[in-house]
Short mmCIF file of all heavy atoms in Angstrom, two decimals:
data_model
loop_
_atom_site.label_atom_id
_atom_site.label_comp_id
_atom_site.label_asym_id
_atom_site.label_seq_id
_atom_site.Cartn_x
_atom_site.Cartn_y
_atom_site.Cartn_z
N VAL A 272 -23.06 0.32 -16.89
CA VAL A 272 -23.44 -0.69 -15.90
C VAL A 272 -24.08 -1.93 -16.53
O VAL A 272 -23.69 -3.07 -16.20
CB VAL A 272 -24.35 -0.08 -14.81
CG1 VAL A 272 -24.95 -1.17 -13.93
CG2 VAL A 272 -23.56 0.91 -13.96
N PRO A 273 -25.05 -1.80 -17.45
CA PRO A 273 -25.66 -3.02 -18.01
C PRO A 273 -24.84 -3.67 -19.12
O PRO A 273 -25.23 -4.73 -19.62
CB PRO A 273 -26.99 -2.50 -18.56
CG PRO A 273 -26.72 -1.09 -18.94
CD PRO A 273 -25.73 -0.58 -17.94
N GLN A 274 -23.71 -3.08 -19.49
CA GLN A 274 -22.98 -3.55 -20.66
C GLN A 274 -21.69 -4.29 -20.33
O GLN A 274 -21.11 -4.94 -21.21
CB GLN A 274 -22.63 -2.36 -21.56
CG GLN A 274 -23.84 -1.57 -22.03
CD GLN A 274 -23.43 -0.29 -22.75
OE1 GLN A 274 -22.25 0.03 -22.88
NE2 GLN A 274 -24.42 0.46 -23.21
N VAL A 275 -21.22 -4.20 -19.09
CA VAL A 275 -19.88 -4.71 -18.77
C VAL A 275 -19.97 -5.95 -17.89
O VAL A 275 -21.03 -6.33 -17.40
CB VAL A 275 -19.04 -3.63 -18.05
CG1 VAL A 275 -18.88 -2.40 -18.93
CG2 VAL A 275 -19.66 -3.27 -16.70
N HIS A 276 -18.80 -6.56 -17.70
CA HIS A 276 -18.65 -7.70 -16.79
C HIS A 276 -17.40 -7.44 -15.95
O HIS A 276 -16.43 -6.84 -16.45
CB HIS A 276 -18.51 -9.00 -17.59
CG HIS A 276 -18.52 -10.23 -16.74
ND1 HIS A 276 -17.36 -10.73 -16.14
CD2 HIS A 276 -19.53 -11.04 -16.35
CE1 HIS A 276 -17.67 -11.80 -15.44
NE2 HIS A 276 -18.96 -12.02 -15.54
N PRO A 277 -17.37 -7.88 -14.71
CA PRO A 277 -16.18 -7.62 -13.87
C PRO A 277 -14.87 -8.09 -14.48
O PRO A 277 -13.82 -7.47 -14.27
CB PRO A 277 -16.50 -8.39 -12.58
CG PRO A 277 -17.99 -8.39 -12.51
CD PRO A 277 -18.46 -8.50 -13.93
N ASP A 278 -14.89 -9.17 -15.27
CA ASP A 278 -13.66 -9.67 -15.87
C ASP A 278 -13.12 -8.75 -16.95
O ASP A 278 -11.99 -8.94 -17.43
CB ASP A 278 -13.88 -11.07 -16.47
CG ASP A 278 -13.91 -12.16 -15.41
OD1 ASP A 278 -13.63 -11.85 -14.24
OD2 ASP A 278 -14.22 -13.32 -15.76
N ASP A 279 -13.91 -7.73 -17.35
CA ASP A 279 -13.41 -6.77 -18.33
C ASP A 279 -12.30 -5.89 -17.77
O ASP A 279 -11.56 -5.26 -18.54
CB ASP A 279 -14.55 -5.86 -18.81
CG ASP A 279 -15.64 -6.61 -19.54
OD1 ASP A 279 -15.38 -7.70 -20.07
OD2 ASP A 279 -16.79 -6.10 -19.57
N PHE A 280 -12.19 -5.85 -16.45
CA PHE A 280 -11.28 -4.89 -15.81
C PHE A 280 -10.27 -5.62 -14.94
O PHE A 280 -10.64 -6.19 -13.91
CB PHE A 280 -12.09 -3.89 -14.98
CG PHE A 280 -13.25 -3.30 -15.72
CD1 PHE A 280 -14.55 -3.74 -15.47
CD2 PHE A 280 -13.06 -2.33 -16.68
CE1 PHE A 280 -15.62 -3.21 -16.15
CE2 PHE A 280 -14.13 -1.79 -17.38
CZ PHE A 280 -15.41 -2.24 -17.12
N ASP A 281 -9.02 -5.60 -15.34
CA ASP A 281 -7.99 -6.27 -14.55
C ASP A 281 -6.71 -5.45 -14.59
O ASP A 281 -6.66 -4.35 -15.15
CB ASP A 281 -7.79 -7.71 -15.02
CG ASP A 281 -7.35 -7.82 -16.48
OD1 ASP A 281 -6.65 -6.92 -16.97
OD2 ASP A 281 -7.70 -8.83 -17.13
N VAL A 282 -5.66 -6.00 -14.00
CA VAL A 282 -4.39 -5.29 -13.90
C VAL A 282 -3.83 -4.92 -15.28
O VAL A 282 -3.18 -3.89 -15.44
CB VAL A 282 -3.38 -6.14 -13.10
CG1 VAL A 282 -1.98 -5.57 -13.20
CG2 VAL A 282 -3.81 -6.24 -11.64
N LEU A 283 -4.13 -5.74 -16.28
CA LEU A 283 -3.58 -5.50 -17.61
C LEU A 283 -4.43 -4.52 -18.42
O LEU A 283 -3.89 -3.80 -19.27
CB LEU A 283 -3.45 -6.82 -18.36
CG LEU A 283 -2.47 -7.83 -17.74
CD1 LEU A 283 -2.47 -9.13 -18.54
CD2 LEU A 283 -1.07 -7.25 -17.66
N THR A 284 -5.72 -4.49 -18.20
CA THR A 284 -6.59 -3.64 -19.03
C THR A 284 -6.88 -2.28 -18.41
O THR A 284 -7.15 -1.32 -19.14
CB THR A 284 -7.92 -4.35 -19.31
OG1 THR A 284 -8.62 -4.57 -18.06
CG2 THR A 284 -7.70 -5.68 -20.02
N MET A 285 -6.84 -2.17 -17.09
CA MET A 285 -7.25 -0.92 -16.45
C MET A 285 -6.34 0.27 -16.76
O MET A 285 -6.84 1.40 -16.91
CB MET A 285 -7.40 -1.12 -14.95
CG MET A 285 -7.83 0.13 -14.19
SD MET A 285 -9.38 0.83 -14.81
CE MET A 285 -10.56 -0.15 -13.91
#
Side-chain angles (χ1 to χ4, degrees):
V272 169
Q274 302 172 359
V275 300
H276 187 274
D278 283 353
D279 296 337
F280 311 103
D281 60 32
V282 169
L283 297 177
T284 63
M285 180 56 85

